[in-house]
Amino acid sequence: DAGVIQSPRHEVTEMGQEVTLRCKPISGHNSLFWYRQTMMRGLELLIYFNNNVPIDDSGMPEDRFSAKMPNASFSTLKIQPSEPRDSAVYFCASSFRMSYSGNTIYFGEGSWLTVV
Amino acid sequence: AQTVTQSQPEMSVQEAETVTLSCTYDTSESNYYLFWYKQPPSRQMILVIRQEAYKQQNATENRFSVNFQKAAKSFSLKISDSQLGDTAMYFCAFMRNTGNQFYFGTGTSLTVIP
């Protein structure tokens, strides 16, 4: 079975440019998460969707960040304009969540972003 | 709020030996899930083991087992017969039964020494 698929795997961009990260969750999963990982702050949850609807975006650092999930099989995380402090590994993860029980989340391989 | 604490930033173990990584958490919930994830140098986050809080039996996956102490809110990971491929960052994570958000610890960097 295909896991969570992220693209691009690596991106180097100049400050001020727009960056779009893409994610395809595991088929059948109904929850999707975007995490950011840095040495200083560890793993941070940026936003998560349930049935394509954003549930909690309190982790989105500022207005430069936006995320969408137009359908069950695709999500984007956009940074515009990008800044050097946005350099990090961005993970997408998905899970199948039932009403009153949790479930394991599965991570993609991450998108390594470097903003110079 | 839920918090997850991993008090050992770095650990090392000789190959073939056993090592235990510590994790404590704070919650007022009675039912929840606990996880250990492994992150090797490739940065891929890989599920190692999962424990449901309502289950008294400790979860086991091959060489990996947990010691779940619900009253003490402790969830340690034991790796037996350590292998070089076990070298990685290990993250403990908590998930509420009624929510969907994972709370991660800060990680323990484990090095297996040949």
Side-chain angles (χ1 to χ4, degrees):
Chain A
D1 289 339
V4 177
I5 299 172
Q6 292 186 244
S7 64
R9 290 295 315 280
H10 299 270
E11 173 131 356
V12 180
T13 191
E14 291 186 346
M15 183 173 64
Q17 296 297 306
E18 177 179 292
V19 174
T20 299
L21 308 179
R22 298 173 178 81
C23 176
K24 177 179 168 56
I26 293 172
S27 177
H29 281 189
N30 60 0
S31 294
L32 183 139
F33 308 79
W34 281 101
Y35 282 88
R36 178 173 68 175
Q37 187 178 35
T38 61
M39 288 293 292
M40 294 297 294
R41 302 173 70 93
L43 270 166
E44 302 174 274
L45 177 65
L46 299 178
I47 186 171
Y48 83 88
F49 297 83
N50 205 36
N51 294 320
N52 311 340
V53 176
I55 302 300
D56 183 356
D57 65 354
S58 60
M60 295 286 264
E62 48 199 273
D63 291 346
R64 298 184 298 106
F65 285 69
S66 63
K68 293 181 180 179
M69 191 166 186
N71 57 61
S73 59
F74 184 66
S75 176
T76 59
L77 177 68
K78 187 174 292 187
I79 308 172
Q80 167 62 22
S82 58
E83 297 182 2
R85 60 192 169 122
D86 301 330
S87 298
V89 182
Y90 290 82
F91 287 101
C92 178
S94 72
S95 74
F96 178 69
R97 183 176 183 276
M98 294 170 282
S99 297
Y100 292 101
S101 69
N103 211 332
T104 305
I105 63 171
Y106 296 90
F107 285 80
E109 293 183 319
S111 292
W112 296 54
L113 174 65
T114 303
V115 183
V116 298
Chain B
Q2 278 66 223
T3 59
V4 179
T5 302
Q6 294 179 250
S7 58
Q8 305 151 313
E10 294 181 356
M11 293 190 71
S12 61
V13 62
Q14 287 291 138
E15 192 176 6
E17 297 292 309
T18 295
V19 64
T20 299
L21 309 183
S22 301
C23 173
T24 58
Y25 56 93
D26 185 24
T27 185
S28 57
E29 306 274 333
S30 60
N31 200 15
Y32 46 86
Y33 298 81
L34 295 162
F35 305 81
W36 279 98
Y37 281 86
K38 168 184 176 181
Q39 188 179 42
S42 67
R43 291 290 193 122
Q44 171 81 55
M45 290 284 283
I46 303 165
L47 175 69
V48 175
I49 201 163
R50 159 193 162 114
Q51 174 86 40
E52 290 89 352
Y54 63 85
K55 289 186 177 179
Q56 293 185 333
Q57 186 172 9
N58 289 325
T60 299
E61 287 288 341
N62 301 315
R63 298 183 294 108
F64 299 87
S65 61
V66 299
N67 183 6
F68 173 48
Q69 302 288 329
K70 190 171 184 179
K73 297 180 182 176
S74 170
F75 182 62
S76 60
L77 174 70
K78 185 171 83 170
I79 306 174
S80 304
D81 185 24
S82 297
Q83 300 176 0
L84 297 179
D86 296 334
T87 292
M89 183 75 83
Y90 288 81
F91 291 93
C92 178
F94 169 99
M95 184 178 73
R96 295 164 52 202
N97 184 46
T98 54
N100 207 15
Q101 183 174 142
F102 272 59
Y103 300 87
F104 283 91
T106 52
T108 295
S109 177
L110 176 68
T111 301
V112 179
I113 302 167

